[in-house]
Each structure stands twice: as structure tokens, then as C-alpha cells.
Amino acid sequence: MERLQRVAYWNVRSTIATLCVFLGIVAVVSISRGQADGARLLPSLSNVVGGVCAVGVYLTRPRPRLNLWLLLAAVVFTALGLGGLALVAGSGS
């Protein structure tokens, strides 16, 4: 039962990290095309940092504490980036 829980937790963490990496890649493409300028630049950079932290989740699987902190950082940076983009879109910039 313990092994099953460990695998299930890793699958959830992996799914969350994959989503953060995807949003980071979308932000990099947006920045490279020049669509994320002005007020959209800082939230997009936050998404990129979240994606980089999420890549670290895959690289630190043998170290569970570091893995958890990187996942938490990835989620926080991605959430801040998405929230910032929502604010910018809502303000009409």
C-alpha cells in the first residue's frame, strides 16, 4: 500500500510539473515573438521561472525534500504569472 501511495503522489507531482513546464514554454514563445511586452513581461517571466523550477522537479526525484520545494516554487511562480496575466488582460492593457 505504501508503494502505491508513493507512486500516486509522484504521478500527481509529475502532472503538476508538466503543466508548469508547458506554461513556461508558452511564455518563452510569447516573449520570443514579442507578444509579451510592457505589462505582460513580468508575469510571463514568472511563468518561465515556474517552468524552470518544474524541470528541476524531474531532475531531483531521488531527493524528496528538494523535489517538494521545487514543486511548490513552480506552482507559486506559475500561479503568480497567471494571476498577473489575468490582471493585465482585465485592465485592458
Side-chain angles (χ1 to χ4, degrees):
M1 190 63 154
E2 178 185 343
R3 185 172 184 271
L4 180 65
Q5 285 180 340
R6 214 174 333 124
V7 170
Y9 285 138
W10 173 250
N11 288 340
V12 169
R13 289 178 182 183
S14 177
T15 302
I16 293 169
T18 302
L19 178 64
C20 292
V21 169
F22 175 74
L23 291 173
I25 290 171
V26 169
V28 167
V29 169
S30 176
I31 291 170
S32 67
R33 287 187 173 185
Q35 296 171 345
D37 56 347
R40 289 183 177 93
L41 183 61
L42 193 59
S44 295
L45 288 175
S46 179
N47 281 338
V48 171
V49 172
V52 170
C53 290
V55 168
V57 169
Y58 292 107
L59 300 175
T60 61
R61 186 172 182 184
R63 299 182 64 191
R65 278 256 198 245
L66 181 59
N67 188 292
L68 184 63
W69 282 107
L70 281 172
L71 182 64
L72 182 65
V75 168
V76 167
F77 278 116
T78 303
L80 286 174
L82 290 176
L85 287 172
L87 285 175
V88 169
S91 68
S93 293

